[in-house]
Amino acid sequence: MEKENAIEKGLALIKRSKTCLIGTNGDNGFPNVKALLNYMNEGLNTIWFTTNTPSKKVKQVQKDGKACVYYYDENGFEGLMLVGTMEALQDPASRRKVWKDGYEMYYPKGVDDPDYTVLKFMTESFNIYSGFSNSTFEL
Amino acid sequence: MEKENAIEKGLALIKRSKTCLIGTNGDNGFPNVKALLNYMNEGLNTIWFTTNTPSKKVKQVQKDGKACVYYYDENGFEGLMLVGTMEALQDPASRRKVWKDGYEMYYPKGVDDPDYTVLKFMTESFNIYSGFSNSTFEL
């Protein structure tokens, strides 16, 4: 598969995904996987999530930012794995960029609630599986 | 949540899952995630998969067996992460244990096809997320 076509297929898969999975480096060298809502992406380059500040993911990425984000279609036999680094952010610009109306339900103190943390993932390479083709590209 | 109840909920989630995700340690310290068909489990203790011998997963678990297996229900907000070790096996007993009728479609040389590899995952601990409860247990 050519890179341009792979990016197009990957973006289409993200668009129709309700959830995605994040892979992080957990305790004692074991990888961890967790499902998150597919929240916000800028192309394949940058993926944004929100989480509670005390969550295990925040501690993990503060210790080791190497991570992956995975989208898949279990009926269409398609999968997209983005490999890169994840940061936990609380700066005002990131908070405001990702905030959505109604979030007060989760973070009662609003956009500056200390319990509100933004996860920013930056892709370095990606692998796409579609049909019988499996291709990896640098981004 | 009590351990007995967590095991029961976890087994029910596995039973209704068409696919699951495996987390492995990939190149250069990055975690990798991949979807696989939910194939065969013995309680929460041992999970079996099949794969092609040349697959990346086989090389990864031969190098570092630390892994996780993750099941989730994106509508029910439930998730089960099993953390443990994975082995790639080609011994006759494992091959025969996991073989199913019709597999000749994938492995034309049958149960002894060198392209057929069995992945055996053995759980050490598990985390279950259900409703607003998040609990981890040794198995």
Side-chain angles (χ1 to χ4, degrees):
Chain A
M1 196 184 305
E2 304 230 340
K3 185 172 175 179
E4 200 176 319
N5 187 21
I7 290 175
E8 197 181 304
K9 274 190 182 293
L11 289 173
L13 177 56
I14 292 177
K15 200 167 179 182
R16 68 180 191 272
S17 296
K18 182 178 167 186
T19 53
C20 61
L21 291 304
I22 63 164
T24 50
N25 283 320
D27 292 337
N28 305 315
F30 287 92
N32 280 192
V33 173
K34 187 152 184 69
L36 290 178
L37 286 174
N38 175 12
Y39 184 74
M40 184 191 285
N41 66 294
E42 295 173 331
L44 297 187
N45 301 76
T46 310
I47 316 290
W48 299 87
F49 301 99
T50 69
T51 189
N52 293 310
T53 305
S55 82
K56 203 190 278 184
K57 296 181 291 297
V58 171
K59 287 180 195 73
Q60 287 177 349
V61 305
Q62 282 171 340
K63 199 172 166 190
D64 180 352
K66 289 179 175 174
C68 68
V69 180
Y70 185 75
Y71 304 82
Y72 77 114
D73 178 342
E74 72 174 11
N75 300 309
F77 296 99
E78 279 199 323
L80 170 71
M81 179 173 67
L82 311 175
V83 173
T85 54
M86 191 174 272
E87 287 180 313
L89 301 171
Q90 288 207 317
D91 65 282
S94 300
R95 286 174 174 276
R96 277 160 182 76
K97 179 182 178 73
V98 179
W99 185 264
K100 288 186 184 176
D101 282 348
Y103 260 47
E104 293 83 0
M105 196 169 84
Y106 307 109
Y107 308 111
K109 293 179 185 161
V111 71
D112 294 310
D113 193 324
D115 193 38
Y116 167 53
T117 288
V118 171
L119 296 174
K120 180 185 185 183
F121 176 83
M122 289 149 290
T123 305
E124 294 179 10
S125 65
F126 70 100
N127 174 271
I128 189 154
Y129 178 80
S130 176
F132 293 102
S133 160
N134 195 334
S135 313
T136 299
F137 300 94
E138 299 298 312
L139 197 64
Chain B
M1 197 185 302
E2 303 230 341
K3 186 173 175 180
E4 201 177 317
N5 186 20
I7 291 174
E8 196 181 305
K9 272 189 183 294
L11 289 172
L13 178 56
I14 293 178
K15 201 168 180 180
R16 68 179 191 273
S17 296
K18 182 178 168 186
T19 53
C20 60
L21 292 305
I22 62 164
T24 51
N25 283 320
D27 292 338
N28 305 316
F30 287 93
N32 280 192
V33 172
K34 186 150 183 69
L36 291 178
L37 286 175
N38 175 11
Y39 184 75
M40 184 190 285
N41 67 294
E42 296 173 330
L44 297 186
N45 301 78
T46 310
I47 316 290
W48 298 88
F49 302 98
T50 70
T51 189
N52 293 309
T53 304
S55 81
K56 202 190 276 183
K57 294 181 293 298
V58 170
K59 286 180 196 71
Q60 286 177 348
V61 304
Q62 282 170 341
K63 201 172 165 191
D64 181 351
K66 289 178 176 175
C68 70
V69 179
Y70 185 75
Y71 304 82
Y72 76 114
D73 178 342
E74 71 174 11
N75 300 308
F77 296 99
E78 279 200 323
L80 170 70
M81 180 173 66
L82 310 175
V83 173
T85 55
M86 191 174 272
E87 287 180 312
L89 301 172
Q90 288 208 318
D91 64 283
S94 300
R95 284 174 175 278
R96 278 160 181 76
K97 178 182 179 72
V98 177
W99 185 264
K100 289 186 183 176
D101 282 348
Y103 260 47
E104 293 82 1
M105 196 169 85
Y106 308 109
Y107 307 111
K109 294 179 185 163
V111 69
D112 295 310
D113 194 324
D115 194 38
Y116 168 53
T117 288
V118 171
L119 296 173
K120 180 185 185 183
F121 175 83
M122 289 151 290
T123 306
E124 294 179 12
S125 66
F126 69 100
N127 175 271
I128 190 155
Y129 179 80
S130 177
F132 294 103
S133 160
N134 195 334
S135 313
T136 298
F137 301 94
E138 298 299 309
L139 197 63

